[in-house]
Amino acid sequence: MKNKMVTAAEAVSAIKDGDMIAVGGFLGTGSPEILMDALVAQGTKHLTVIANDGGLNEENAPTNGKLKGIAKLLANHQIDHLIASHIGVNPEINRQIAAGTLTYELFPQGSLAEKLRAAGAGLGGVLTPVGLGTPMEKDWLGNEKTIIEIDGVKYLLEKPLRPKFALVRADYCDKYGNFTMLKATKNFNHVMAMAAEHTLLASEKVYEIGERDADDYQFSGVYVEKIVEGEKPWEI
Amino acid sequence: MGDLKARIAKRAAQEFHDGDVVNLGIGLPTLCTSYLPEGVDICLQSENGFTGLSGKAEPGKEDYRVIDSGGNWVTYVPYANFFGSEESFSIIRGGHVDATVLGAMQVDEEGNLANWIIPGKAVAGMGGAMDLVCGAKEVIIAMTHTQKGNHKIMKKCTLPLTAEKVVDKIITEMGVMEWVDGKLTLTEIYDDYTIDQVKEATEAEFAVAENLKHLAAE
């Protein structure tokens, strides 16, 4: 069996300046914190990051003064371009936009999930009614998106979004990479794991293969290239 | 103002049927759960990834894996179910949510909705709002009738839209408006307001229902 177990530093070492990465989490919940810390330590710059939101920074109450999720990368000025659905919670995003050091692209949350899923599922895009008649009919550069009519109903074509790396979090996995994310930590982690060329999984606990029943794992390890153990519960 | 918000939430809560799957926006709409009619149980959907939201978690009893879409620590009911964003929005777009209640910056005569961006101001993003109003079977706007004296119920929205022709009902402290035979119509009015006052507070043209219902101001 190919060994997928690495340290956090080894896992992120393949990420280079300018790469497009996807990072799981929803306002910090379900974010791969040890991979964020390793990427901050590595100092990789000019990243394009796909994330639902900007994570949480020290100005957001529930973090006890700690940064969560991609807020760590934002604080360290490692992101040039952000692809997200909501950028209002972490105020650092709008500060960097105003300063001209960060560009951004917004998608409706469901469209963002489907664009990632489409990439992971080998589809040429998704047709969604969401965004018709709104600024979403144009991309962030002002180009018109394609509108397709199916049986008399109009849909917006949203193309697949394929990051080079996905950095995702699980509660537990086995050494093959089959993984489970409990409760509301799932959010974007699964579609990101599907979508990326290389998926790096940070898990609280890693079991030996066969130590638990195969059906205990919600998602397949076929998506996972590297596994890092040591993700910690969020101390509230 | 607190009383007016309670009035709006209380009226909005009357829209729910026992067993409905409902998604509530942040702010005023979340107050609806305090005013559910007797015998009506609803299943709250939280678009970050579960059905069966219960309420805010007590301090000291938070579960770090369970937040709502506003990032608050919350609890869940025994029949809750957790899933990823792809399924959460399949549930939303796929018509499995019976109703959504949310606020608005503007609504217009055609049922167009603007509630996500003000050009020139810091951008927050739409989050799940566009998906929700396109997918939910009934879209209920619960809001104050005006904002600092400015109209919110417009002839035509001037702000960028969240979605076209999606609003089914508008509930404010003055009354209720809905579309009857395609025409925006005042169907209920609180008895501390007159029709003329509603007209003054509304830029949109609206009809007055023949059987206009008068609601007692409490």
Side-chain angles (χ1 to χ4, degrees):
Chain A
M1 180 71 65
K2 189 178 167 190
N3 179 30
K4 296 184 179 181
M5 298 299 299
V6 293
T7 66
E10 287 165 353
V12 301
S13 64
I15 302 174
K16 303 297 180 201
D17 287 359
D19 278 348
M20 181 191 281
I21 68 170
V23 181
F26 192 110
L27 295 174
T29 293
S31 292
E33 300 299 342
I34 53 177
L35 297 177
M36 292 294 93
D37 294 339
L39 199 49
V40 167
Q42 183 169 286
T44 315
K45 298 280 187 194
H46 308 302
L47 295 169
T48 288
V49 173
I50 305 164
N52 177 63
D53 53 76
L56 296 174
N57 82 353
E58 60 271 62
E59 292 154 79
N60 301 122
T63 62
N64 289 331
K66 291 175 188 161
L67 303 178
K68 290 287 176 188
I70 69 160
K72 293 172 178 173
L73 304 179
L74 282 160
N76 203 32
H77 297 273
Q78 290 175 266
I79 305 176
D80 280 5
H81 186 67
L82 180 60
I83 300 172
S85 85
H86 200 277
I87 58 173
V89 175
N90 180 349
E92 182 61 18
I93 297 175
N94 269 290
R95 281 196 288 269
Q96 293 189 14
I97 290 169
T101 56
L102 178 70
T103 56
Y104 69 97
E105 211 171 327
L106 288 169
F107 293 101
Q109 208 165 101
S111 299
L112 186 61
E114 284 304 312
K115 287 166 74 72
L116 289 158
R117 206 189 73 82
L123 301 174
V126 291
L127 297 176
T128 176
V130 179
L132 284 174
T134 80
M136 286 298 105
E137 287 189 358
K138 291 182 178 174
D139 69 17
W140 72 292
L141 296 168
N143 303 308
E144 297 277 350
K145 293 179 190 171
T146 304
I147 293 172
I148 294 174
E149 202 171 302
I150 307 283
D151 296 338
V153 181
K154 284 182 180 165
Y155 296 92
L156 200 56
L157 172 66
E158 286 290 359
K159 293 181 181 174
L161 192 52
R162 181 182 288 283
K164 189 163 179 191
F165 294 90
L167 284 61
V168 300
R169 182 195 188 284
D171 283 275
Y172 61 87
C173 67
D174 67 13
K175 286 191 171 174
Y176 183 70
N178 299 309
F179 60 108
T180 290
M181 302 171 292
L182 298 174
K183 301 180 186 175
T185 66
K186 297 177 185 68
N187 54 66
F188 278 83
N189 281 297
H190 181 229
V191 280
M192 286 175 171
M194 289 177 71
E197 288 173 46
H198 310 280
T199 291
L200 317 177
L201 174 70
S203 186
E204 280 192 25
K205 170 80 182 159
V206 181
Y207 290 100
E208 294 296 332
I209 290 167
E211 196 177 346
R212 293 184 75 135
D213 188 82
D215 204 32
D216 284 353
Y217 301 100
Q218 297 164 335
F219 302 107
S220 173
V222 299
Y223 303 118
V224 176
E225 188 173 300
K226 308 272 187 214
I227 303 164
V228 182
E229 188 168 21
E231 199 58 47
K232 295 278 189 295
W234 181 331
E235 288 171 28
I236 298 165
Chain B
M1 180 57 80
D3 287 342
L4 290 185
K5 285 190 174 171
R7 172 191 283 189
I8 297 165
K10 195 171 178 180
R11 177 59 192 82
Q14 308 305 308
E15 294 296 308
F16 306 141
H17 312 93
D18 195 31
D20 276 358
V21 179
V22 175
N23 187 300
L24 300 175
I26 291 165
L28 191 160
T30 59
L31 299 176
C32 289
T33 54
S34 305
Y35 301 104
L36 288 177
E38 202 162 319
V40 172
D41 267 327
I42 58 174
C43 175
L44 291 176
Q45 204 251 9
S46 193
E47 70 262 25
N48 56 306
F50 62 109
T51 45
L53 171 69
S54 181
K56 290 236 167 109
E58 281 177 45
K61 291 189 175 172
E62 300 94 341
D63 179 341
Y64 75 96
R65 298 182 178 98
V66 188
I67 57 165
D68 65 10
S69 57
N72 305 293
W73 305 113
V74 292
T75 57
Y76 53 93
V77 298
Y79 59 87
N81 189 248
F82 293 92
F83 33 75
S85 300
E86 72 280 22
E87 185 169 350
S88 185
F89 284 91
S90 297
I91 287 171
I92 288 167
R93 279 189 318 267
H96 310 286
V97 171
D98 295 297
T100 184
V101 181
L102 62 177
M105 297 169 184
Q106 294 179 338
V107 184
D108 70 22
E109 288 176 10
E110 291 199 303
N112 297 320
L113 170 66
N115 73 348
W116 75 281
I117 190 170
I118 300 174
K121 295 219 172 156
V123 181
M126 71 293 285
M130 287 187 178
D131 308 85
L132 265 167
V133 297
C134 284
K137 285 187 201 154
E138 189 170 15
V139 175
I140 300 159
I141 298 302
M143 63 176 190
T144 54
H145 207 99
T146 55
Q147 175 73 24
K148 293 177 186 161
N150 292 320
H151 289 137
K152 291 164 81 177
I153 305 173
M154 316 291 289
K155 281 185 186 304
K156 195 157 182 54
C157 290
T158 56
L159 293 169
L161 296 187
T162 307
E164 279 182 326
K165 299 177 186 169
V166 291
V167 178
D168 294 299
K169 203 167 267 193
I170 306 169
I171 298 173
T172 78
E173 74 280 13
M174 294 184 136
V176 178
M177 288 182 174
E178 54 201 297
W179 280 261
V180 178
D181 298 328
K183 169 93 179 142
L184 182 64
T185 304
L186 180 70
T187 53
E188 298 175 32
I189 187 167
Y190 281 95
D191 62 13
D192 50 353
Y193 291 102
T194 64
I195 292 173
D196 281 343
Q197 281 176 313
V198 179
K199 281 185 176 163
E200 201 169 310
T202 308
E203 191 202 70
E205 279 188 31
F206 61 89
V208 178
E210 271 179 38
N211 54 347
L212 178 67
K213 195 171 161 188
H214 292 267
L215 305 172
E218 286 171 23

